[in-house]
Amino acid sequence: MKTFKEIQDNYLAIDFFLSMSCNKNCHYCTSYTLEMRNLTVDMDFLKKILDYLKDYKIRICLLGGEPGLIKNLNDVINEIKKYPNFICSVLSNSFVRKKYPEILEDAEILYVEHLILDFYEDRIEKLGNFDFFNENDKNNFNVVVKTPNYLKYKDKYPEKLKKLNHSNTMFKEFNGRSPIFNTEIQAAEIDRKMCAAFPMVPVIDFEKKHIVHCSKKFANNSELSKTFDLTKEKIDKMMNFRLFKYENYCKTCTEYVRPEGHFSLKKYGNLLNE
């Protein structure tokens, strides 16, 4: 069994937005619609995409929306697991834990849960009715979003944070997507150019069946993000970092980008050498 860090260091990644339908409307998120639509994945379409990707070593992240709403999620996962060079990851608001608990027992699947919604002066709000994951060897992870409230109130909850202080908790930087927060600070232009040309997780939209350049613009239900037809040629260009480039919307982007760029400098070097 590979650890999450081993997978991050040695695999490329791609997001499959299976459906934008979700049973929640979290204040920091725009990657959803409460309208229940596209809840059965087109398996012929999935098989075609996996065949296009078969020569690459990748982590495929299944998300939306809420993947736990997908009626044939097990079929999707089983199809991905047929390829020894693919790692399957599932990002859920905890509904997967309710509907597909067997996923959490499969250590070959990375299961990542947005269990904490936000920190407040008098409480911590959770997405689901389940407790946090303790440190475990099943590749089940908590993810804590560092929203403005997290930064403001985190010192009020030392015991709770102590409980989360282990290798199966990931702290995620707040990305400024929500319209109720004003994010004015931009990453340096060179970092935004690197983010645009070398996206850490390019997107395949299973509703409209095309490649999406920018997950932020796509998640905001915007038509601004450049899209591409799903062909073998486009997939190969995407996986070899020859498809995307710095676009006009990148010039005004306030998405959080690490100071050294989206990847580590070492990984940039490896990608350029390849």
Side-chain angles (χ1 to χ4, degrees):
M1 183 184 72
K2 299 177 178 67
T3 66
F4 192 72
K5 187 177 187 310
E6 288 172 333
I7 294 167
Q8 282 185 313
D9 290 344
N10 297 292
Y11 286 70
L12 298 175
I14 187 167
D15 282 350
F16 284 6
F17 276 73
L18 300 180
S19 168
M20 292 301 286
S21 298
C22 191
N23 58 323
K24 302 284 185 178
N25 57 344
C26 303
H27 70 83
Y28 61 83
C29 178
T30 55
S31 301
Y32 73 92
T33 171
L34 294 175
E35 176 188 352
M36 295 293 104
R37 68 189 193 207
N38 199 53
L39 296 182
T40 301
V41 170
D42 181 337
M43 294 301 292
D44 289 335
F45 177 73
L46 172 70
K47 290 174 183 178
K48 180 175 73 172
I49 299 307
L50 297 180
D51 185 63
Y52 288 167
L53 292 165
K54 65 184 178 184
D55 295 329
Y56 301 99
K57 192 175 179 181
I58 51 175
R59 172 174 60 88
I60 297 173
C61 184
L62 307 178
L63 70 165
E66 170 50 45
L69 294 171
I70 299 298
K71 297 177 182 179
N72 58 341
L73 185 61
N74 279 332
D75 293 336
V76 172
I77 291 172
N78 289 336
E79 198 64 37
I80 292 170
K81 289 178 70 175
K82 290 178 181 179
Y83 294 80
N85 51 319
F86 292 170
I87 297 289
C88 184
S89 176
V90 179
L91 175 64
S92 175
N93 64 24
S94 83
F95 195 67
V96 162
R97 213 197 288 205
K98 178 180 179 179
K99 188 174 178 184
Y100 294 102
E102 64 274 15
I103 287 175
L104 282 71
E105 298 300 318
D106 187 341
E108 297 302 318
I109 301 172
L110 301 180
Y111 177 69
V112 182
E113 192 167 282
H114 272 263
L115 190 60
I116 296 177
L117 174 59
D118 210 352
F119 285 63
Y120 293 87
E121 186 172 12
D122 59 344
R123 69 194 187 281
I124 297 176
E125 288 190 356
K126 297 181 183 179
L127 281 172
N129 297 319
F130 303 96
D131 199 1
F132 312 110
F133 290 118
N134 294 319
E135 192 162 14
N136 64 80
D137 58 2
K138 294 182 178 180
N139 274 326
N140 297 327
F141 298 88
N142 310 301
V143 60
V144 181
V145 181
K146 293 183 180 179
T147 63
N149 275 2
Y150 167 83
L151 298 172
K152 186 176 182 180
Y153 297 119
K154 64 183 178 66
D155 293 339
K156 296 179 66 68
Y157 303 97
E159 291 304 312
K160 190 69 71 175
L161 288 172
K162 184 178 179 181
K163 184 177 181 180
L164 290 165
N165 186 25
H166 57 74
S167 61
N168 290 80
T169 297
M170 295 181 280
F171 287 86
K172 179 181 176 182
E173 297 296 335
F174 174 69
N175 58 25
R177 290 181 179 178
S178 172
I180 70 171
F181 295 121
N182 293 320
T183 306
E184 302 296 339
I185 300 173
Q186 286 184 291
E189 185 177 31
I190 184 61
D191 293 326
R192 282 179 281 130
K193 286 183 176 180
M194 295 291 268
C195 173
F198 298 89
M200 188 164 62
V201 278
V203 174
I204 292 183
D205 178 359
F206 271 62
E207 288 200 345
K208 295 185 177 178
K209 297 185 177 180
H210 57 205
I211 298 169
V212 182
H213 172 223
C214 177
S215 64
K216 178 183 179 184
K217 296 296 181 184
F218 168 66
N220 282 338
N221 297 314
S222 169
E223 298 300 322
L224 290 175
S225 182
K226 193 167 185 178
T227 60
F228 303 84
D229 293 337
L230 265 165
T231 65
K232 180 66 166 62
E233 179 187 15
K234 292 290 196 301
I235 288 284
D236 287 335
K237 284 185 176 181
M238 176 181 73
M239 298 308 296
N240 289 284
F241 300 95
R242 298 291 182 269
L243 184 62
F244 304 128
K245 64 180 182 179
Y246 193 63
E247 301 287 348
N248 283 333
Y249 48 77
C250 305
K251 297 176 183 178
T252 57
C253 181
T254 53
E255 183 84 354
Y256 174 82
V257 182
R258 296 180 190 134
E260 71 277 11
H262 224 37
F263 290 121
S264 68
L265 291 176
K266 181 179 178 181
K267 192 159 188 176
Y268 277 128
N270 291 338
L271 292 172
L272 290 169
N273 286 335
E274 290 173 2

